[in-house]
Amino acid sequence: AHRTLRDEAPVWYDERLRGYVVTRHADVRLVLRDTERFLSGPPQRQRPLQHLYEEKGWVPAPTLAGRDDPNHREMRALFDHAFRPKKLRAIEPRIESLAHDLIDEFADAGECEFVSQFAVPLPLIVIVEQMGAPSEDMWQIKAWTDAWVQRLGLMQSAEELRWSVEMEIEAQHYFQPIFERLRQEPDDTLLSDLVNTEIPEWGRCLTDEELHAEMMADTFVGGSETTTNALSGGVRLLIENPDQWELLRSDHDRFIPVLVEEVLRLESPVQRLMRHTAVDVELHGVTIPANSMVLIGYSAANRDDRVFEAPARFQLDRDDAKKHLSFGFGTHFCLGAPLARRELTFGFQAIVDRIDEMWFLDDTDLTIAPNYFLRALKELKIGFRAADRRDRGMVSS
């Protein structure tokens, strides 16, 4: 479908979504780079079920991703401070040890449900710790973010949509006392930085409504969901391509960095996002009227044969994998990309260190969860032959 769109209709109007789908790599880059004509998020309209937020919780403000400059630039500086490189480097040992601890929990069984036992908890625990949330609440936070992701996906019934909103409001009432405590007693967590750091141009810190929006979109979902989906998608690709698994094991220092980028390219955990036009725009002979929704096809762009040789092939000796657009491009380049790359690197490294062979169990279901914007395996049941840790120099003295 993506190939047909790229070749025959690179700007295609989707009647159901009432938006223009852009699929070629060069065009996606153009849309992402041109922040004058293509504005972030959909045209302004009332949030679905806004009355529920007003009656029971807080109406979430526009997220960082849904803002334009100068507002976006000013707010992003706050997140750049919170995700500064020194802080990320400091948590690398924790990510590495956590990856091995998670494998320890199922190593002797010779099988696992990889999504729930590794791909979900690795980035989720990291972001929970960074945000200073109690670890015992991790799976409840995951339930709230799952509900938010389902609402994002545009595939819910009216009843399901209401359930997602109610879940988000429940999460708001969980986080609100934490915001209030951190205002009185700041600590060294990322969340304390977000709560208490003033944005100079605004002359204030984030409001409750802005903080609640960021809890879902840019911290717990942005900070865990896409990494989860890349980890599980990567293991599926390695099982389906045993020659690439052997290549990886032959020189993991060389190939793990390529594996990270190739998984991000092929799987595209974020399949597409939205912009809207500030003015009429003509592209490939199609006029996109002002105030129209534009659907940016990251997953289609990442398999564009105008950029990638044999784009559908999973290939660890590829030299063009990092040209993918999975983290976006330009002003809105994903601020969590450095953390995600670290989690993927240490996650895949632990898998290579601890597992010699992997296969799908007979009852695994490789169904992709229904979601227009994100690509996620529902489950990934695998069997494996664990490596002899003594051969890897990992036995303590």
Side-chain angles (χ1 to χ4, degrees), residues 86-127:
K86 183 179 179 180
K87 194 160 190 172
L88 293 179
R89 285 194 296 272
I91 65 173
E92 287 181 358
R94 172 56 175 152
I95 300 172
E96 183 176 23
S97 65
L98 176 59
H100 284 280
D101 290 345
L102 291 170
I103 292 177
D104 284 342
E105 293 179 5
F106 55 76
D108 292 340
E111 62 181 49
C112 70
E113 198 291 284
F114 185 81
V115 174
S116 62
Q117 291 183 263
F118 189 90
V120 168
L122 178 63
L124 183 59
I125 290 171
V126 170
I127 197 65

Side-chain angles (χ1 to χ4, degrees), residues 245-348:
W245 171 247
E246 291 305 319
L247 185 64
L248 177 65
R249 295 179 70 240
S250 72
D251 190 347
H252 49 83
D253 288 341
R254 173 187 173 189
F255 290 117
I256 279 180
V258 186
L259 170 64
V260 169
E261 306 304 329
E262 184 69 339
V263 168
L264 289 167
R265 182 188 73 83
L266 267 176
E267 286 297 294
S268 299
V270 177
Q271 294 277 288
R272 51 193 69 82
L273 288 177
M274 297 182 291
R275 295 289 189 272
H276 70 276
T277 48
V279 296
D280 290 358
V281 177
E282 184 164 330
L283 192 60
H284 296 292
V286 176
T287 298
I288 306 174
N291 208 38
S292 295
M293 185 189 300
V294 177
L295 298 155
I296 311 167
Y298 295 105
S299 54
N302 286 341
R303 293 181 180 230
D304 190 343
D305 58 10
R306 296 160 185 79
V307 176
F308 303 100
E309 183 180 354
R313 185 183 304 157
F314 177 54
Q315 188 176 328
L316 295 186
D317 56 359
R318 170 185 299 282
D319 60 9
D320 56 10
K322 208 167 184 179
K323 294 179 182 177
H324 69 78
L325 298 172
S326 294
F327 288 128
F329 182 79
T331 300
H332 284 272
F333 185 80
C334 176
L335 63 89
L339 176 59
R341 283 190 165 110
R342 283 170 168 83
E343 291 169 338
L344 292 171
T345 296
F346 288 116
F348 287 131

Side-chain angles (χ1 to χ4, degrees), residues 115-152:
V115 174
S116 62
Q117 291 183 263
F118 189 90
V120 168
L122 178 63
L124 183 59
I125 290 171
V126 170
I127 197 65
V128 163
E129 290 178 350
Q130 289 303 298
M131 298 301 286
S135 58
E136 62 268 22
D137 295 340
M138 179 181 77
W139 291 108
Q140 179 57 69
I141 292 171
K142 173 62 175 169
W144 289 325
T145 59
D146 281 348
W148 190 94
V149 165
Q150 290 174 47
R151 179 170 65 79
L152 172 75

Side-chain angles (χ1 to χ4, degrees), residues 364-378:
T364 196
D365 180 359
L366 299 179
T367 299
I368 301 297
N371 192 297
Y372 184 74
F373 292 105
L374 304 181
R375 176 174 171 83
L377 280 167
K378 288 184 174 181

